[in-house]
Amino acid sequence: MGFTGFGKKARTFDLEAMFEQTRRTAVERSRKTLEAREKEEEMNREKELRRQNEDIEPTSSGSNVVRDCTQSSSSDTSSSESEESSDSSSDELIGPPLPPKMVEEPVNRMEEAMGRLPPPLHEEEEDDDDDDGDSEEEENPVQKIPDSHEITLKHGTKTVSALGLDPSGARLVTGGYDYDVKFWDFAGMDASFKAFRSLQPCECHQIKSLQYSNTGDMILVVSGSSQAKVIDRDGFEVMECIKGDQYIVDMANTKGHTAMLHTGSWHPKIKGEFMTCSNDATVRTWEVENPKKQRSVFKPRTMQGKKVVPTTCTYSRDGNLIAAACQNGSIQIWDRNLTVHPKFHYKQAHDPGTDTSCVAFSYDGNVLASRGGDDTLKLWDIRQFNKPLFSASGLPTMFPMTDCCFSPDDKLVVTGTSVQRGCGSGKLVFFERRTFQKVYEIDITDASVVRCLWHPKLNQIMVGTGNGLAKVYYDPNKSQRGAKLCVVKTQRKAKQAETLTQDYIITPHALPMFREPRQRSTRKQLEKDRLDPLKSHKPEPPVAGPGRGGRVGTHGGTLSSYIVKNIALDKTDDSNPREAILRHAKAAEDNPYWVSPAYSKTQPKTMFAQVESDDEEAKNEPEWKKRKI
């Protein structure tokens, strides 16, 4: 298993928890301040009442009564002034300003005691207009689709067949047909949109499915092998499922899958439990703590009791039901604790022989969406699982993992379409759940749309395509964090120290005399090299023309350079060596200069044999030959 890009584990901060803690602290502090101010006001009122009781004395004369009344009125005015001064002094509090809820609390108390005052006429009209606008937005779910902006993440050149986003929306993980799994951190990325980690957890097997657990600390990796793996957030292996015995007939008696996997899913409530389905015609549930044996086995069957291969599986939102779609076109739903007979079984949900690529439950848990290999998308009510609620056709698919999902408000159903290369563009299609009318579509790219994921917390849509791209669609006003964190960061420039320094070779067992000094910091090493006159010396340019100052010129200064120059200028064509030699034959015969003069004194005289004619040979023959003839 190859790992690249490993370093220290990144620290993760839960910003929502930090903001919530800060808000609670501010509210608590404001509440204490408000209680102290109310106590002070009550004490001031009691003092004023005591002072008024002491000033008022019963008398029989009217003048005294009038005088007392005037005194009481003056005391009332003075008390009111004192109260106002005390209020003004108490208003000047030390600390952060009060939140609007705490400031409006006295007003709310008065409204509860006296009743809410009717708003002015023009405010009523404005409220009516706002209500109309809100109702229009609620009636039109298309306005909630976050597609105004997009970013493109380059996974590779082959199909992105798996997408996974953690529950908090901080990290995205992608897998493809190139066996790679790449990690993307929205908070750590800049405008270059590069993955911070890449690995091959399943060696030479295509990645079929990736999913984060409900706690976000583990990732389920389902590949083309028969063994699923669980890795942590940093890519280290946590567990690997055991492989079963393929020679056992009853698949319930073996400990694991014996054939290629299709997909997998985490339990939405129970930590550490997940499910996988395989070509061995079983759906198995597992526990992370027990990788040596599955927890339970579900065996899909036809109406005649024969084996059938499940192509996809998922849990319901509450985790009590397990749904699986099979190659014979059926959809079967089991109770999680009852593995024998399915609770619901619809035998002709899609065309037989086609691979149903996805089944997904709605957020309310009552509706099931199925994406069939027969180019259809269907909705089912599990409370009346005898016929589909709606069906949409004309949605081509060419991949066994084409997705479908629900919008966070459960009003839209989303799926992707496939296209042949060079025959149009893949689309992301939106259907309204209530009427199942196609209300919107997005042209993604000139390749098939394989995976789609709509995160409820970020309100962003992730799409995996057939040409190796992962796209993220978002709206700056409707979406939260995610892609909004990395688009505002400028691309980081490569530091000079990172490009000039050499790699440090660690040899812990070498002798001290052969051990290299440890590099403390690349920046300090670069500054030290700049102070060294030998390392920071600029190379001198080559000498043009004749040499000077003890330096040889570029050419012509030495015999070798002169010969090389003349050989380079010789344009004679010596492609045929025989003709090149015979070209000098006549000159050598007329003026023998090289070979003949050297052997003139030692060369012997040439003596040639004399050739006799035929008549002379006949005369010289012996007599016995002539008599015989």
Side-chain angles (χ1 to χ4, degrees):
M1 179 171 61
F3 295 90
T4 58
F6 279 96
K8 296 181 178 179
K9 291 188 177 181
R11 294 181 62 188
T12 57
F13 299 93
D14 193 351
L15 296 179
E16 287 189 355
M18 296 169 65
F19 288 141
E20 183 67 19
Q21 184 67 25
T22 306
R23 188 185 67 80
R24 289 179 181 175
T25 305
V27 170
E28 184 69 20
R29 186 174 179 181
S30 302
R31 186 178 60 79
K32 290 180 180 179
T33 306
L34 187 60
E35 290 178 354
R37 185 169 64 181
E38 290 178 353
K39 289 181 181 179
E40 188 176 357
E41 289 178 356
E42 290 178 0
M43 292 176 65
N44 290 333
R45 291 195 194 97
E46 291 178 357
K47 289 180 181 180
E48 291 298 331
L49 291 174
R50 291 174 185 173
R51 191 178 303 167
Q52 289 178 7
N53 293 331
E54 291 175 358
D55 291 341
I56 298 174
E57 295 178 355
T59 56
S60 59
S61 61
S63 60
N64 292 335
V65 173
V66 173
R67 186 169 58 252
D68 293 338
C69 291
T70 56
Q71 289 177 358
S72 64
S73 63
S74 63
S75 65
D76 290 336
T77 55
S78 64
S79 65
S80 63
E81 290 175 358
S82 64
E83 286 179 3
E84 291 176 359
S85 64
S86 65
D87 290 339
S88 62
S89 64
S90 63
D91 286 337
E92 297 176 357
L93 298 176
I94 299 174
L98 294 175
K101 292 182 180 179
M102 303 303 293
V103 176
E104 295 173 359
E105 190 172 354
V107 181
N108 295 333
R109 290 177 181 173
M110 291 179 63
E111 289 180 355
E112 291 177 359
M114 301 176 62
R116 187 179 181 88
L117 295 175
L121 184 61
H122 64 278
E123 291 186 3
E124 287 183 355
E125 294 176 355
E126 291 179 358
D127 293 341
D128 293 340
D129 295 339
D130 294 340
D131 294 339
D132 295 339
D134 294 340
S135 63
E136 289 179 0
E137 286 185 359
E138 291 178 358
E139 292 176 358
N140 190 7
V142 178
Q143 297 179 358
K144 298 182 180 180
I145 298 175
D147 66 329
S148 61
H149 295 69
E150 69 173 276
I151 64 172
T152 302
L153 308 177
K154 181 69 175 176
H155 173 84
T157 57
K158 296 186 179 181
T159 301
V160 177
S161 56
L163 281 178
L165 197 60
D166 67 341
S168 63
R171 285 189 179 182
L172 174 70
V173 59
T174 60
Y177 280 4
D178 55 358
Y179 323 130
D180 288 338
V181 173
K182 293 190 177 181
F183 293 78
W184 315 79
D185 189 359
F186 289 119
M189 276 195 305
D190 55 11
S192 61
F193 305 132
K194 293 182 179 179
F196 73 91
R197 186 157 300 155
S198 177
L199 55 97
Q200 292 183 356
C202 301
E203 297 177 351
C204 297
H205 292 285
Q206 295 176 352
I207 307 299
K208 297 291 189 70
S209 174
L210 293 170
Q211 188 179 7
Y212 274 90
S213 61
N214 53 358
T215 56
D217 58 344
M218 292 181 291
I219 304 171
L220 174 61
V221 182
V222 177
S223 65
S225 67
S226 60
Q227 297 171 273
K229 287 188 178 183
V230 176
I231 59 176
D232 61 4
R233 289 176 61 88
D234 298 314
F236 294 100
E237 184 176 320
V238 177
M239 64 89 71
E240 182 179 14
C241 298
I242 192 172
K243 185 176 181 179
D245 190 352
Q246 58 186 350
Y247 297 104
I248 296 178
V249 177
D250 189 1
M251 287 291 103
N253 294 330
T254 185
K255 298 180 180 180
H257 288 294
T258 61
M260 179 185 69
L261 299 176
H262 286 290
T263 187
S265 178
W266 286 99
H267 194 283
K269 302 294 183 182
I270 301 175
K271 181 181 178 181
E273 181 179 331
F274 62 93
M275 168 180 55
T276 56
C277 66
S278 169
N279 260 358
D280 60 2
T282 60
V283 177
R284 300 174 189 262
T285 59
W286 305 80
E287 293 178 347
V288 176
E289 292 79 9
N290 186 17
K292 299 299 182 182
K293 188 177 181 181
Q294 74 272 351
R295 178 182 173 274
S296 59
V297 181
F298 300 86
K299 296 184 289 186
R301 291 291 185 265
T302 62
M303 299 302 291
Q304 293 78 23
K306 296 181 180 180
K307 289 184 179 181
V308 63
V309 174
T311 56
T312 183
C313 60
T314 187
Y315 281 101
S316 61
R317 295 291 175 178
D318 56 2
N320 294 329
L321 299 177
I322 291 176
C326 305
Q327 281 185 347
N328 64 343
S330 65
I331 295 179
Q332 304 181 28
I333 301 177
W334 293 270
D335 191 319
R336 173 178 166 270
N337 298 319
L338 301 175
T339 63
V340 181
H341 298 291
K343 189 175 183 179
F344 305 104
H345 186 179
Y346 193 81
K347 61 181 180 180
Q348 292 181 353
H350 293 279
D351 292 346
T354 60
D355 291 345
T356 302
S357 57
C358 179
V359 287
F361 281 91
S362 61
Y363 285 93
D364 58 13
N366 297 326
V367 176
L368 179 72
S370 62
R371 181 70 163 95
D374 53 357
D375 301 343
T376 61
L377 175 66
K378 295 184 180 182
L379 282 187
W380 309 81
D381 190 345
I382 62 173
R383 294 166 296 185
Q384 297 178 353
F385 202 69
N386 52 5
K387 63 178 181 178
L389 294 176
F390 301 101
S391 177
S393 59
L395 303 171
T397 175
M398 296 184 296
F399 292 89
M401 64 280 296
T402 303
D403 257 340
C404 66
C405 64
F406 287 86
S407 61
D409 58 359
D410 255 357
K411 294 183 178 180
L412 296 174
V413 185
V414 190
T415 188
T417 61
S418 301
V419 293
Q420 296 285 346
R421 182 174 295 179
C423 298
S425 60
K427 297 179 181 180
L428 196 65
V429 187
F430 297 80
F431 294 91
E432 190 175 2
R433 173 184 166 182
R434 185 167 48 87
T435 61
F436 219 62
Q437 297 292 326
K438 185 169 73 171
V439 294
Y440 196 68
E441 65 179 22
I442 304 174
D443 289 338
I444 304 298
T445 183
D446 57 349
S448 301
V449 176
V450 182
R451 288 287 188 177
C452 61
L453 189 152
W454 195 334
H455 197 271
K457 205 167 188 178
L458 301 183
N459 194 23
Q460 298 178 11
I461 302 174
M462 286 70 181
V463 180
T465 64
N467 56 355
L469 302 179
K471 293 198 171 187
V472 182
Y473 289 86
Y474 68 98
D475 191 306
N477 300 322
K478 303 171 186 176
S479 302
Q480 305 293 330
R481 301 192 309 277
K484 293 171 60 179
L485 299 177
C486 56
V487 294
V488 297
K489 296 181 181 180
T490 58
Q491 187 171 352
R492 187 176 68 91
K493 296 182 179 179
K495 295 181 181 179
Q496 189 179 10
E498 296 178 358
T499 58
L500 294 180
T501 57
Q502 296 180 354
D503 294 335
Y504 173 62
I505 301 174
I506 301 175
T507 54
H509 301 293
L511 295 174
M513 60 185 301
F514 300 109
R515 196 175 299 169
E516 295 183 8
R518 184 177 180 183
Q519 294 183 357
R520 298 296 178 185
S521 173
T522 55
R523 182 180 176 185
K524 292 182 179 180
Q525 184 66 27
L526 182 63
E527 293 177 354
K528 186 178 179 181
D529 293 344
R530 283 287 172 242
L531 297 176
D532 190 351
L534 295 178
K535 292 184 178 180
S536 61
H537 177 67
K538 180 182 177 182
E540 295 183 0
V543 178
R548 61 180 181 273
R551 298 185 63 200
V552 180
T554 55
H555 59 271
T558 60
L559 177 61
S560 59
S561 62
Y562 174 77
I563 294 174
V564 169
K565 179 182 177 181
N566 290 335
I567 291 175
L569 293 176
D570 188 9
K571 303 298 182 183
T572 305
D573 185 15
D574 291 338
S575 58
N576 192 345
R578 184 174 183 277
E579 292 183 358
I581 295 173
L582 294 178
R583 189 184 303 129
H584 307 283
K586 191 173 185 320
E589 186 179 357
D590 296 341
N591 186 17
Y593 180 75
W594 294 106
V595 179
S596 298
Y599 295 98
S600 60
K601 294 182 179 180
T602 59
Q603 186 71 20
K605 294 181 179 179
T606 57
M607 298 178 63
F608 301 101
Q610 296 180 358
V611 180
E612 297 179 352
S613 61
D614 296 339
D615 297 339
E616 293 179 353
E617 288 182 356
K619 290 178 180 179
N620 294 329
E621 283 184 355
E623 289 295 333
W624 60 272
K625 283 186 178 181
K626 291 180 180 179
R627 284 196 299 266
K628 188 176 181 180
I629 292 172

PDB file of all heavy atoms in Angstrom, residues 289-306:
ATOM      1  N   GLU A 289     -14.740  -3.772  15.653  1.00  0.00           N
ATOM      2  CA  GLU A 289     -13.981  -4.462  16.707  1.00  0.00           C
ATOM      3  C   GLU A 289     -13.788  -5.945  16.409  1.00  0.00           C
ATOM      4  O   GLU A 289     -12.941  -6.590  17.024  1.00  0.00           O
ATOM      5  CB  GLU A 289     -14.700  -4.311  18.057  1.00  0.00           C
ATOM      6  CG  GLU A 289     -14.719  -2.897  18.607  1.00  0.00           C
ATOM      7  CD  GLU A 289     -15.781  -2.040  17.941  1.00  0.00           C
ATOM      8  OE1 GLU A 289     -16.601  -2.619  17.185  1.00  0.00           O
ATOM      9  OE2 GLU A 289     -15.794  -0.819  18.168  1.00  0.00           O
ATOM     10  N   ASN A 290     -14.560  -6.508  15.456  1.00  0.00           N
ATOM     11  CA  ASN A 290     -14.462  -7.938  15.169  1.00  0.00           C
ATOM     12  C   ASN A 290     -14.298  -8.144  13.661  1.00  0.00           C
ATOM     13  O   ASN A 290     -15.270  -8.458  12.956  1.00  0.00           O
ATOM     14  CB  ASN A 290     -15.707  -8.664  15.679  1.00  0.00           C
ATOM     15  CG  ASN A 290     -15.594 -10.168  15.535  1.00  0.00           C
ATOM     16  OD1 ASN A 290     -14.506 -10.711  15.353  1.00  0.00           O
ATOM     17  ND2 ASN A 290     -16.727 -10.863  15.595  1.00  0.00           N
ATOM     18  N   PRO A 291     -13.086  -7.968  13.132  1.00  0.00           N
ATOM     19  CA  PRO A 291     -12.894  -8.115  11.689  1.00  0.00           C
ATOM     20  C   PRO A 291     -12.790  -9.567  11.222  1.00  0.00           C
ATOM     21  O   PRO A 291     -12.790  -9.824  10.015  1.00  0.00           O
ATOM     22  CB  PRO A 291     -11.578  -7.389  11.441  1.00  0.00           C
ATOM     23  CG  PRO A 291     -10.819  -7.542  12.706  1.00  0.00           C
ATOM     24  CD  PRO A 291     -11.840  -7.548  13.810  1.00  0.00           C
ATOM     25  N   LYS A 292     -12.723 -10.533  12.130  1.00  0.00           N
ATOM     26  CA  LYS A 292     -12.523 -11.935  11.761  1.00  0.00           C
ATOM     27  C   LYS A 292     -13.813 -12.664  11.384  1.00  0.00           C
ATOM     28  O   LYS A 292     -13.762 -13.770  10.874  1.00  0.00           O
ATOM     29  CB  LYS A 292     -11.843 -12.690  12.906  1.00  0.00           C
ATOM     30  CG  LYS A 292     -10.471 -12.144  13.265  1.00  0.00           C
ATOM     31  CD  LYS A 292      -9.506 -12.223  12.093  1.00  0.00           C
ATOM     32  CE  LYS A 292      -8.122 -11.711  12.466  1.00  0.00           C
ATOM     33  NZ  LYS A 292      -7.200 -11.738  11.302  1.00  0.00           N
ATOM     34  N   LYS A 293     -14.957 -12.050  11.622  1.00  0.00           N
ATOM     35  CA  LYS A 293     -16.219 -12.686  11.275  1.00  0.00           C
ATOM     36  C   LYS A 293     -17.306 -11.631  11.186  1.00  0.00           C
ATOM     37  O   LYS A 293     -17.298 -10.653  11.946  1.00  0.00           O
ATOM     38  CB  LYS A 293     -16.595 -13.742  12.325  1.00  0.00           C
ATOM     39  CG  LYS A 293     -17.811 -14.580  11.935  1.00  0.00           C
ATOM     40  CD  LYS A 293     -18.101 -15.639  12.969  1.00  0.00           C
ATOM     41  CE  LYS A 293     -19.303 -16.482  12.551  1.00  0.00           C
ATOM     42  NZ  LYS A 293     -19.637 -17.520  13.547  1.00  0.00           N
ATOM     43  N   GLN A 294     -18.233 -11.839  10.225  1.00  0.00           N
ATOM     44  CA  GLN A 294     -19.319 -10.888  10.070  1.00  0.00           C
ATOM     45  C   GLN A 294     -20.307 -10.996  11.234  1.00  0.00           C
ATOM     46  O   GLN A 294     -20.346 -12.003  11.955  1.00  0.00           O
ATOM     47  CB  GLN A 294     -20.060 -11.106   8.751  1.00  0.00           C
ATOM     48  CG  GLN A 294     -20.956 -12.347   8.729  1.00  0.00           C
ATOM     49  CD  GLN A 294     -20.199 -13.580   8.290  1.00  0.00           C
ATOM     50  OE1 GLN A 294     -19.070 -13.480   7.849  1.00  0.00           O
ATOM     51  NE2 GLN A 294     -20.822 -14.742   8.404  1.00  0.00           N
ATOM     52  N   ARG A 295     -21.111  -9.946  11.397  1.00  0.00           N
ATOM     53  CA  ARG A 295     -22.105  -9.953  12.470  1.00  0.00           C
ATOM     54  C   ARG A 295     -23.347 -10.740  12.074  1.00  0.00           C
ATOM     55  O   ARG A 295     -23.872 -11.529  12.851  1.00  0.00           O
ATOM     56  CB  ARG A 295     -22.490  -8.515  12.820  1.00  0.00           C
ATOM     57  CG  ARG A 295     -23.547  -8.379  13.888  1.00  0.00           C
ATOM     58  CD  ARG A 295     -23.907  -6.925  14.131  1.00  0.00           C
ATOM     59  NE  ARG A 295     -25.031  -6.814  15.047  1.00  0.00           N
ATOM     60  CZ  ARG A 295     -26.304  -6.862  14.699  1.00  0.00           C
ATOM     61  NH1 ARG A 295     -26.623  -7.039  13.409  1.00  0.00           N
ATOM     62  NH2 ARG A 295     -27.270  -6.757  15.593  1.00  0.00           N
ATOM     63  N   SER A 296     -23.843 -10.525  10.836  1.00  0.00           N
ATOM     64  CA  SER A 296     -25.026 -11.230  10.354  1.00  0.00           C
ATOM     65  C   SER A 296     -24.961 -11.317   8.835  1.00  0.00           C
ATOM     66  O   SER A 296     -24.227 -10.561   8.189  1.00  0.00           O
ATOM     67  CB  SER A 296     -26.322 -10.540  10.802  1.00  0.00           C
ATOM     68  OG  SER A 296     -26.345  -9.202  10.322  1.00  0.00           O
ATOM     69  N   VAL A 297     -25.751 -12.242   8.262  1.00  0.00           N
ATOM     70  CA  VAL A 297     -25.749 -12.487   6.822  1.00  0.00           C
ATOM     71  C   VAL A 297     -27.191 -12.445   6.319  1.00  0.00           C
ATOM     72  O   VAL A 297     -28.074 -13.121   6.877  1.00  0.00           O
ATOM     73  CB  VAL A 297     -25.115 -13.856   6.477  1.00  0.00           C
ATOM     74  CG1 VAL A 297     -25.113 -14.069   4.969  1.00  0.00           C
ATOM     75  CG2 VAL A 297     -23.706 -13.947   7.033  1.00  0.00           C
ATOM     76  N   PHE A 298     -27.448 -11.665   5.275  1.00  0.00           N
ATOM     77  CA  PHE A 298     -28.738 -11.605   4.601  1.00  0.00           C
ATOM     78  C   PHE A 298     -28.549 -12.187   3.195  1.00  0.00           C
ATOM     79  O   PHE A 298     -27.641 -11.773   2.464  1.00  0.00           O
ATOM     80  CB  PHE A 298     -29.248 -10.167   4.505  1.00  0.00           C
ATOM     81  CG  PHE A 298     -29.444  -9.497   5.838  1.00  0.00           C
ATOM     82  CD1 PHE A 298     -28.386  -8.847   6.469  1.00  0.00           C
ATOM     83  CD2 PHE A 298     -30.675  -9.525   6.466  1.00  0.00           C
ATOM     84  CE1 PHE A 298     -28.560  -8.228   7.686  1.00  0.00           C
ATOM     85  CE2 PHE A 298     -30.854  -8.913   7.693  1.00  0.00           C
ATOM     86  CZ  PHE A 298     -29.798  -8.264   8.310  1.00  0.00           C
ATOM     87  N   LYS A 299     -29.423 -13.127   2.843  1.00  0.00           N
ATOM     88  CA  LYS A 299     -29.299 -13.810   1.552  1.00  0.00           C
ATOM     89  C   LYS A 299     -30.515 -13.495   0.678  1.00  0.00           C
ATOM     90  O   LYS A 299     -31.602 -14.049   0.910  1.00  0.00           O
ATOM     91  CB  LYS A 299     -29.163 -15.319   1.755  1.00  0.00           C
ATOM     92  CG  LYS A 299     -27.904 -15.714   2.504  1.00  0.00           C
ATOM     93  CD  LYS A 299     -27.751 -17.214   2.598  1.00  0.00           C
ATOM     94  CE  LYS A 299     -28.770 -17.837   3.543  1.00  0.00           C
ATOM     95  NZ  LYS A 299     -28.532 -19.282   3.730  1.00  0.00           N
ATOM     96  N   PRO A 300     -30.362 -12.596  -0.294  1.00  0.00           N
ATOM     97  CA  PRO A 300     -31.489 -12.307  -1.189  1.00  0.00           C
ATOM     98  C   PRO A 300     -31.846 -13.543  -2.018  1.00  0.00           C
ATOM     99  O   PRO A 300     -30.976 -14.294  -2.455  1.00  0.00           O
ATOM    100  CB  PRO A 300     -30.973 -11.164  -2.070  1.00  0.00           C
ATOM    101  CG  PRO A 300     -29.798 -10.605  -1.341  1.00  0.00           C
ATOM    102  CD  PRO A 300     -29.205 -11.735  -0.567  1.00  0.00           C
ATOM    103  N   ARG A 301     -33.136 -13.710  -2.238  1.00  0.00           N
ATOM    104  CA  ARG A 301     -33.635 -14.846  -3.002  1.00  0.00           C
ATOM    105  C   ARG A 301     -34.729 -14.382  -3.966  1.00  0.00           C
ATOM    106  O   ARG A 301     -35.410 -13.375  -3.712  1.00  0.00           O
ATOM    107  CB  ARG A 301     -34.213 -15.923  -2.074  1.00  0.00           C
ATOM    108  CG  ARG A 301     -33.182 -16.644  -1.226  1.00  0.00           C
ATOM    109  CD  ARG A 301     -32.289 -17.526  -2.077  1.00  0.00           C
ATOM    110  NE  ARG A 301     -31.360 -18.309  -1.281  1.00  0.00           N
ATOM    111  CZ  ARG A 301     -30.106 -17.932  -1.023  1.00  0.00           C
ATOM    112  NH1 ARG A 301     -29.655 -16.777  -1.495  1.00  0.00           N
ATOM    113  NH2 ARG A 301     -29.304 -18.713  -0.324  1.00  0.00           N
ATOM    114  N   THR A 302     -34.874 -15.137  -5.047  1.00  0.00           N
ATOM    115  CA  THR A 302     -35.982 -14.890  -5.960  1.00  0.00           C
ATOM    116  C   THR A 302     -37.263 -15.472  -5.371  1.00  0.00           C
ATOM    117  O   THR A 302     -37.255 -16.086  -4.306  1.00  0.00           O
ATOM    118  CB  THR A 302     -35.689 -15.523  -7.325  1.00  0.00           C
ATOM    119  OG1 THR A 302     -35.574 -16.942  -7.163  1.00  0.00           O
ATOM    120  CG2 THR A 302     -34.395 -14.977  -7.909  1.00  0.00           C
ATOM    121  N   MET A 303     -38.360 -15.291  -6.089  1.00  0.00           N
ATOM    122  CA  MET A 303     -39.620 -15.857  -5.608  1.00  0.00           C
ATOM    123  C   MET A 303     -39.595 -17.386  -5.619  1.00  0.00           C
ATOM    124  O   MET A 303     -40.337 -18.035  -4.895  1.00  0.00           O
ATOM    125  CB  MET A 303     -40.780 -15.348  -6.476  1.00  0.00           C
ATOM    126  CG  MET A 303     -40.939 -13.840  -6.449  1.00  0.00           C
ATOM    127  SD  MET A 303     -41.204 -13.170  -4.805  1.00  0.00           S
ATOM    128  CE  MET A 303     -42.833 -13.794  -4.447  1.00  0.00           C
ATOM    129  N   GLN A 304     -38.712 -17.954  -6.445  1.00  0.00           N
ATOM    130  CA  GLN A 304     -38.567 -19.416  -6.482  1.00  0.00           C
ATOM    131  C   GLN A 304     -37.531 -19.918  -5.489  1.00  0.00           C
ATOM    132  O   GLN A 304     -37.238 -21.123  -5.445  1.00  0.00           O
ATOM    133  CB  GLN A 304     -38.192 -19.881  -7.882  1.00  0.00           C
ATOM    134  CG  GLN A 304     -39.277 -19.671  -8.929  1.00  0.00           C
ATOM    135  CD  GLN A 304     -39.361 -18.230  -9.394  1.00  0.00           C
ATOM    136  OE1 GLN A 304     -38.385 -17.478  -9.278  1.00  0.00           O
ATOM    137  NE2 GLN A 304     -40.509 -17.830  -9.916  1.00  0.00           N
ATOM    138  N   GLY A 305     -36.903 -19.033  -4.735  1.00  0.00           N
ATOM    139  CA  GLY A 305     -35.930 -19.439  -3.737  1.00  0.00           C
ATOM    140  C   GLY A 305     -34.515 -19.570  -4.252  1.00  0.00           C
ATOM    141  O   GLY A 305     -33.659 -20.121  -3.565  1.00  0.00           O
ATOM    142  N   LYS A 306     -34.226 -19.061  -5.455  1.00  0.00           N
ATOM    143  CA  LYS A 306     -32.874 -19.163  -6.006  1.00  0.00           C
ATOM    144  C   LYS A 306     -32.036 -17.951  -5.599  1.00  0.00           C
ATOM    145  O   LYS A 306     -32.560 -16.896  -5.245  1.00  0.00           O
ATOM    146  CB  LYS A 306     -32.940 -19.264  -7.528  1.00  0.00           C
ATOM    147  CG  LYS A 306     -33.641 -20.515  -8.039  1.00  0.00           C
ATOM    148  CD  LYS A 306     -33.633 -20.548  -9.555  1.00  0.00           C
ATOM    149  CE  LYS A 306     -34.336 -21.804 -10.074  1.00  0.00           C
ATOM    150  NZ  LYS A 306     -34.351 -21.859 -11.553  1.00  0.00           N
TER     151      LYS A 306
END
